[in-house]
Amino acid sequence: MEIIEADLFGFCFGVNRAVDIVEEKLEEQKKIDTLGPIVHNPNVVEDLSEKGAEVVNSLDEVNTDSVIITAHGAGREIHSKIREKGLNLIDTTCPIVRTAQETAEDLVDRGYQVIIYGENDHTEVRNILGWLDGRGIAILDPNADVNIRKGKVALLSQTTKGKKYFFDFAARFLQVHSDELEQVKIVDTTCGETRRRYEAAERLADEVDIILVVGGKNSANTRKLAEVSASTGIETHHIKDETEIEPTWFEGVKRVGITAGASTPQSAVSAVEEVLEQFDDTLVD
Ligand code: SF4
């Protein structure tokens, strides 16, 4: 069975940058707290935890003098609380996420109601909304019942959603709400890093019989990658790591494709490939 990797997969520059910052800090101090997991990948979080980076779920749990804000960023209230508590802030917010936050804040200051195409409960989305003082919402369904205020609306996207999905959402939203809208701005805040990974998965689908998408189940971009892969019609399995591989998937399979989310380290992909390489030839044909 041949293993073919997507021509682009795995850690994006924002995640690489965040992990590098945490590792650099851990050289200066033995223990550090991160507000939430630094990336949505349990193996990376565990590895950093062994090196001294503990995940805390609220600022009240911080028991060092520094706290790390993750690549997904934090809202205004969290920044204020960190200052009030006198904690040293180490900010690993991805520059692309920060741009989305600043864009949304600027738009509400200019009187727009911000509507984010995204998951309401996702950390990144919550933290973009966290700069808007209640003047923004997040929805996934363009048909959702939205109370449009004053007709001045800006549509933005969760960074990991994929440009074409965002534009489809925006087109449908405009149709559904055309009677209530007066001024509309559509600002593409999707991330090119994730889009390029989605496109690579689509190319991979042309070459293989089955695709494995490796990465945390709590990672929005990995879930989206699996969705994009499955939408090509190719059999797709999203696995958190090699322990979730089912040998029965590969009966008759000649070429297996591998891709991985932006929060998945190379070591996780290599571990999956090692397991596949051990499969007996009897599984093939
Ligand atoms: S996926 Fe994009 S927005 Fe998210 S951390 Fe990576 S580079 Fe930044």
Side-chain angles (χ1 to χ4, degrees):
M1 185 167 66
E2 190 183 356
I3 299 170
I4 302 176
E5 292 180 342
D7 53 54
L8 184 66
F9 64 89
F11 267 16
C12 60
F13 93 90
V15 167
N16 258 324
R17 176 178 172 274
V19 172
D20 284 351
I21 294 172
V22 175
E23 288 185 333
E24 264 170 41
K25 287 292 160 191
L26 285 169
E27 283 173 17
E28 292 165 19
Q29 54 194 95
K30 282 202 168 61
K31 190 176 175 317
I32 203 158
D33 289 326
T34 76
L35 191 56
I38 198 77
V39 292
H40 282 159
N41 184 285
N43 299 348
V44 176
V45 171
E46 199 181 312
D47 182 49
L48 288 173
S49 161
E50 279 164 15
K51 292 176 181 167
E54 278 303 318
V55 177
V56 295
N57 294 313
S58 84
L59 289 173
D60 296 332
E61 294 173 26
V62 174
N63 59 17
T64 63
D65 59 359
S66 306
V67 65
I68 290 186
I69 284 179
T70 71
H72 289 117
R76 182 185 290 125
E77 199 182 329
I78 294 172
H79 279 265
S80 304
K81 276 193 185 153
I82 290 172
R83 272 198 304 277
E84 277 164 27
K85 283 179 172 279
L87 293 166
N88 175 29
L89 167 63
I90 301 155
D91 190 354
T92 74
T93 306
C94 172
I96 294 172
V97 173
R98 186 64 197 130
T99 300
Q101 293 174 342
E102 287 170 350
T103 304
E105 193 183 11
D106 176 56
L107 286 161
V108 294
D109 286 349
R110 287 160 52 201
Y112 284 89
Q113 178 182 1
V114 165
I115 296 176
I116 299 171
Y117 169 53
E119 294 149 43
N120 211 3
D121 58 349
H122 188 276
T123 320
E124 178 208 306
V125 173
R126 274 204 319 268
N127 288 319
I128 297 174
L129 294 172
W131 291 93
L132 308 185
D133 302 323
R135 290 171 292 170
I137 56 164
I139 55 171
L140 284 169
D141 181 359
N143 301 305
D145 190 15
V146 178
N147 179 21
I148 307 280
R149 288 180 275 119
K150 296 186 204 155
K152 209 173 162 185
V153 163
L155 301 178
L156 275 63
S157 179
Q158 183 174 344
T159 59
T160 46
K161 278 295 173 209
K163 188 176 184 162
K164 72 179 172 199
Y165 297 89
F166 171 50
F167 284 1
D168 284 350
F169 165 87
R172 181 74 192 133
F173 184 90
L174 295 186
Q175 255 180 4
V176 172
H177 297 279
S178 58
D179 290 345
E180 308 141 88
L181 295 168
E182 286 162 16
Q183 281 187 50
V184 183
K185 269 199 183 300
I186 298 170
V187 187
D188 177 14
T189 49
T190 59
C191 165
E193 288 267 327
T194 45
R195 175 176 47 80
R196 285 188 283 279
R197 280 157 182 74
Y198 303 150
E199 289 167 354
E202 286 169 343
R203 286 192 293 276
L204 180 65
D206 290 337
E207 294 180 55
V208 298
D209 307 308
I210 182 173
I211 290 184
L212 299 187
V213 180
V214 189
K217 300 279 172 70
N218 57 346
S219 159
N221 81 81
T222 311
R223 287 198 306 268
K224 187 76 194 173
L225 189 60
E227 195 185 313
V228 169
S229 171
S231 73
T232 65
I234 201 89
E235 181 178 339
T236 299
H237 298 278
H238 177 180
I239 52 171
K240 83 173 162 54
D241 58 28
E242 72 282 6
T243 63
E244 294 189 343
I245 294 175
E246 296 280 346
T248 52
W249 295 338
F250 305 98
E251 283 163 19
V253 165
K254 289 198 172 71
R255 289 173 305 273
V256 54
I258 307 277
T259 184
S263 48
T264 309
Q266 177 58 46
S267 57
V269 174
S270 301
V272 166
E273 290 175 349
E274 272 169 36
V275 169
L276 294 177
E277 280 158 10
Q278 285 164 16
F279 281 164
D280 191 272
D281 280 350
T282 54
L283 284 174
V284 183
D285 285 334

